[in-house]
Each structure stands twice: as C-alpha cells, then as structure tokens.
Amino acid sequence: TSIIKEKQYKTVLDAGAGVCSLYYVFKKINYEIDYTAIDLTKKYVDMCNTRGIKISKQNIEQTNFIDHQFDCVTAFDVINHQLDYRASIKELLRIAKKELFISFFKKFEEEASLGSEYSGRYAVYQNDFGLIENRIVDSNNEVVCIYNFINKKKLVNFLESLKNIEYEFYISSCNRGMLRIKHK
C-alpha cells in the first residue's frame, strides 16, 4: 500500500480479495482510492457487498473489465492457489494501467525446504509450473485447496516472454515475497 499511496494512484482492483482486507487498510490510513474487488467465493462477495464494498464474483483469469481500467491491480496471496498462473497474470496486466502487485505466501520451489513446508493432511505432486500441495480434508481425499510452490525460474522465463513490461521481486514490509510488474 505504501507504493500505491506514494504514486497517488486513484483506482485499484483487489483481485482475489477474500474479505477485502486491503479496503480496510486504505480506510485505516485515510487514503482515498476508488477500490474495486473481485473474488470467486460467493460467501465473501455477499459479505463484502452487505458492507458497502464494491466487489463482484469473477475469475481472475477472465474478468469483465476494460483494458487499463485500474491504475494498479493487486493479487495478494492468490497466485499460489493456481495450478497455472500465466492466464491470471496476463489478464491482470491487461486491466492494469500502470502496475500489478503480486504477493506470495509460499516460498518458491527452489527455496522451499520440502517436507517442512507442509501442514495438515496433504498430497504433493509436480506440475509444469512448480510443486503442488493438495490439502486433503477427508478420507475420500477431497481436495479443498491447492498450494503451488511456484518454480521461480519458470516464472521468470514467462515474465521475460511478455512484451513491454518491467518486473522486480522484493520483500514487503510485512516480510512477504512480492512481484511488481510495471508497464513500460
């Protein structure tokens, strides 16, 4: 949020917003911004709508927003839930006028200490984009959530294939791995 405030952005899309925590951060710091959110979970969308927050039920891989509609787009703790992040990043870049901010709540595959990063009942397998942990909740092996330990080298190769962007990885003030993508 400090970069958003520093740049004096006027519009933001919070993609995969959940309970719209970012909305409340802006309120707490008294930063006036046109906040819009999307999430796939109907329960969160309904709850936030009843609180007067502008949110709709949409998939981050294909939104109904126009090109470059928002000064910036955030996807905090969302990309690690994707099997394949490419479509999401392309879509979020399409609707971002200036920047896209992505946070990661799981380490990159190359940095993970395999075996110590897991909790609960899980099954682990490899896909083309990283190591996938499926959280299991019952004896029928019903998967409720995936966690992707994204392969950073493959992510960088993907970012290098995109046109007219610059990107940087950094650690946020709350110790989260971040990716900042800017349009040139």
Side-chain angles (χ1 to χ4, degrees):
T1 56
S2 60
I3 295 171
I4 294 170
K5 187 176 177 182
E6 174 188 316
K7 297 278 186 172
Q8 298 182 350
Y9 289 151
K10 302 296 180 206
T11 58
V12 63
L13 173 70
D14 190 359
V19 297
C20 295
S21 299
L22 185 58
Y23 172 85
Y24 295 104
V25 169
F26 288 126
K27 291 293 182 197
K28 183 177 181 177
I29 64 172
N30 291 320
Y31 186 69
E32 290 294 322
I33 192 162
D34 183 1
Y35 175 91
T36 304
I38 59 173
D39 200 274
L40 270 181
T41 308
K42 183 180 181 328
K43 176 176 140 181
Y44 293 148
V45 172
D46 291 346
M47 178 189 71
C48 293
N49 273 323
T50 63
R51 295 178 179 173
I53 299 171
K54 188 172 24 172
I55 186 172
S56 59
K57 187 175 186 290
Q58 293 189 54
N59 186 324
I60 66 172
E61 292 181 358
Q62 186 176 9
T63 70
N64 63 10
F65 301 113
I66 62 172
D67 291 358
H68 312 293
Q69 184 167 341
F70 301 95
D71 287 339
C72 66
V73 174
T74 64
F76 294 151
D77 299 345
V78 176
I79 300 299
N80 287 108
H81 288 301
Q82 313 245 300
L83 290 173
D84 180 350
Y85 48 77
R86 296 174 300 177
S88 298
I89 291 175
K90 284 181 181 178
E91 177 64 5
L92 297 177
L93 278 170
R94 180 188 71 77
I95 60 179
K97 187 184 304 181
K98 299 174 182 170
E99 297 187 75
L100 167 60
F101 298 94
I102 297 171
S103 73
F104 301 93
F105 64 92
K106 290 287 187 181
K107 294 178 181 176
F108 289 108
E109 180 183 16
E110 297 92 331
E111 301 162 350
S113 175
L114 302 180
S116 65
E117 302 293 328
Y118 310 120
S119 59
R121 295 178 39 147
Y122 59 88
V124 177
Y125 68 94
Q126 189 76 43
N127 82 353
D128 290 340
F129 305 102
L131 186 69
I132 305 298
E133 174 190 0
N134 283 334
R135 291 288 171 96
I136 314 275
V137 294
D138 63 19
S139 59
N140 295 325
N141 290 339
E142 294 289 329
V143 174
V144 293
C145 193
I146 67 140
Y147 298 106
N148 187 344
F149 293 84
I150 295 169
N151 183 291
K152 188 174 184 179
K153 183 177 179 182
K154 290 179 180 178
L155 174 59
V156 166
N157 287 341
F158 166 71
L159 293 171
E160 294 288 333
S161 75
L162 299 176
K163 305 231 184 300
N164 298 316
I165 65 148
E166 297 173 345
Y167 65 90
E168 67 174 319
F169 292 93
Y170 65 99
I171 303 296
S172 73
S173 59
C174 59
N175 208 28
R176 281 274 205 246
M178 297 290 298
L179 171 59
R180 180 181 185 186
I181 307 172
K182 297 188 278 186
H183 288 287
K184 288 184 180 178

